[in-house]
Amino acid sequence: MTTVHDFPEKSGSASNATAKVLSDRAEGEAYVASVCFKHGPPRLLGVELEFTVHYADEPARPLDPDDLATALGPHTPRTLRPDSPALPLPAGSPLSLEPGCQVEISARPQTTLRHLDAVVSADLAHLESLLAARGLYLGDTGIDRYRAPARKLGTPRYAAMERRFAPMGQGGATMMCSTAGLQVCVDAGEAHDLAVRWAAVHALGPPLLATFANSRIHAGRDTGHASARWLAVMETEKARTRSAEPGEDPAAEWAGRILDTPLMVLPGPGGRWDAPDSLTFADWIDGRGESAGLGKPTEDDLAYHLTTFFTPVRPQGYLEIRYLDAQPAARWLHPVALLAALLARPSTVDKVLELCEPVMGKWECAARFGLADRAIAAVASEVVDLGCAELGTTGLPPETITEISEGVQSLVRGSRSHQS
């Protein structure tokens, strides 16, 4: 069966009364495995682009949500204006907002990268035009380089997340309100290829995170880290942010992890969506939520729980690759095309695993030091060479391939000179 892409809404809602009740852990794990890993030939490609938003005349000025809503007009998401028609952008991409009013374009998946480029480029140009007319522009890095984090959206979900993360330090607020990522969505592939593709997208993480890292400056301060964005994500709740350990049965391993992770947000009719402390989803199935007034959980409850994980790669029927910093609007296609090329053929995927083995799992090192780390830089250089050699598989025009290849090669060129 071909993968289904539906890019879940971030605000969530309580379960409806007709949803199927989960009777035991095995039923919950089977549900997770079935919805998170859908099998079929790799066919579709999607992308989600997040950007911070700034005033053109004073980038450090706190963003007024009213100014943003005025600029977006009928495209304003309902998390900001509940009565908005929330129209998609002209080429069909839905628009959403993160807690700090970062904007996000979630392009509908396409069968070719050329079509995806056309859709995203059209919608991105329209968004930039709307913002420019009101004196606003899109940031070009993975973290707000001018302003400290400040939550602008008052949804119950984001309020509950803020309360949850506060005792853990500043990372949660920074992740929610100051960061912007570029997320690439690819099909999981045929059942017999799943474990290898799952391993490959994880293996590519450290070298590509380092290659495209650009979030060193945050709130006017040099953090000293190549990707302060990624470190902020890691400074939240480890159970829902740490990378998976790729194994032979990704679906079963992921399902077990989901059920053993405590609830973070519990949608309900009241204004507070705070979940009971330390209650895992498996506990809830086993009846240990009764003291908190919870009945048996449903598949809808479990589906919502799935949206509260922020791992480097998040399976949602497709594989959502989440480890890249946001790129300048004019260069969003570069990492997307490189990833598409690296995953296009089984032989290339095998080569990826071979090249990346020396830096497997070195996420923190990549985020802190980027291409200044010699081992990561060496692998990144080889990965970029491989990806650029495979760009012809993407179906992009020759001139676009040349532009992407030159742009990506320029990112690793400096590290090569230090290695020689």
Side-chain angles (χ1 to χ4, degrees), residues 46 74 254 278 288 296:
W254 182 256
S278 304
R288 288 193 283 275
K296 278 282 190 178

Side-chain angles (χ1 to χ4, degrees), residues 36-194:
C36 290
F37 293 92
K38 297 182 184 295
H39 304 136
R43 189 177 67 87
L44 298 174
L45 185 68
V47 68
E48 302 177 31
L49 305 175
E50 297 173 352
F51 300 94
T52 56
V53 180
H54 304 271
Y55 292 99
D57 62 345
E58 192 179 352
R61 187 185 355 153
L63 180 64
D64 185 335
D66 288 338
D67 290 342
L68 180 59
T70 299
L72 298 178
H75 305 295
T76 303
R78 294 193 181 102
T79 50
L80 180 55
R81 291 291 178 266
D83 59 348
S84 171
L87 300 178
L89 295 168
S93 304
L95 193 66
S96 60
L97 296 175
E98 296 299 318
C101 274
Q102 307 97 304
V103 297
E104 178 176 358
I105 294 176
S106 297
R108 295 301 186 192
Q110 303 294 322
T111 55
T112 70
L113 189 55
R114 187 189 288 248
H115 288 147
L116 184 66
D117 180 21
V119 166
V120 174
S121 295
D123 281 342
L124 190 52
H126 185 74
L127 174 61
E128 290 186 295
S129 177
L130 291 176
L131 295 176
R134 294 290 176 174
L136 299 169
Y137 74 96
L138 298 174
D140 59 3
T141 65
I143 203 164
D144 192 324
R145 67 166 68 232
Y146 303 105
R147 302 170 302 209
R151 183 164 63 90
K152 303 292 185 178
L153 297 184
T155 66
R157 173 183 170 113
Y158 292 148
M161 288 175 64
E162 186 175 62
R163 289 189 291 269
R164 173 104 176 180
F165 293 148
M168 304 173 192
Q170 189 64 20
T174 301
M175 177 189 77
M176 292 172 62
C177 304
S178 291
T179 62
L182 186 154
Q183 297 156 18
V184 184
C185 303
V186 300
D187 281 325
E190 301 280 16
H192 58 81
D193 292 328
L194 173 59

Side-chain angles (χ1 to χ4, degrees), residues 18-39:
T18 61
K20 181 181 178 182
V21 171
L22 297 168
S23 60
D24 57 30
R25 181 186 179 107
E27 201 168 53
E29 290 186 345
Y31 174 82
V32 172
S34 68
V35 301
C36 290
F37 293 92
K38 297 182 184 295
H39 304 136

